[in-house]
Amino acid sequence: FVGLLLTESFLKFVWSNRLFGYCAVVMAAVPNDPDDPQAMPRASRAAELNIRAAWNFNRGLRAIYVSLAALAWLIGPLPLILSSLAVFWVIWSREYRSQPHAILKRKG
């Protein structure tokens, strides 16, 4: 099970890296003139690629976290429960109670 989670996370990271590369190429193709008819469609395409890349990167991180908790299964059921709770607390605190989350939520 842990091996599957680690494989999944690796594949998510590889795919996100590839999508970030595609995004960089499309961003470089966006014309500097905002009145150019290709500016907004290309910028929009780059934004969509960046969103998908970030989504896959985030899923890869979560799979790594969960695989670390699953390793405790080798020790026994109580360590598995405790490590799972710790990992889910870390994920929750980083995604919803962290300083970067507050910065991203700021208006303006």
Side-chain angles (χ1 to χ4, degrees):
F1 181 69
V2 175
L4 289 175
L5 287 171
L6 290 173
T7 301
E8 172 72 8
S9 66
F10 173 76
L11 293 173
K12 291 287 185 190
F13 285 134
V14 169
W15 183 238
S16 73
N17 187 39
R18 188 169 189 152
L19 291 177
F20 280 129
Y22 291 159
C23 177
V25 170
V26 174
M27 283 173 56
V30 174
N32 290 333
D33 180 11
D35 295 328
D36 188 305
Q38 290 298 316
M40 283 308 291
R42 287 185 185 165
S44 178
R45 220 172 296 140
E48 288 178 45
L49 285 168
N50 194 47
I51 289 167
R52 298 309 307 166
W55 187 86
N56 279 283
F57 189 86
N58 191 27
R59 293 301 184 264
L61 284 176
R62 286 181 180 173
I64 291 272
Y65 292 148
V66 172
S67 66
L68 290 174
L71 278 174
W73 185 21
L74 299 172
I75 302 170
L78 185 58
L80 173 62
I81 292 168
L82 295 175
S83 65
S84 295
L85 290 173
V87 163
F88 288 117
W89 179 82
V90 166
I91 291 172
W92 176 80
S93 66
R94 288 185 179 174
E95 292 191 13
Y96 300 107
R97 295 287 177 229
S98 65
Q99 187 65 29
H101 182 261
I103 291 168
L104 289 170
K105 284 187 70 174
R106 270 192 254 170
K107 303 255 191 249

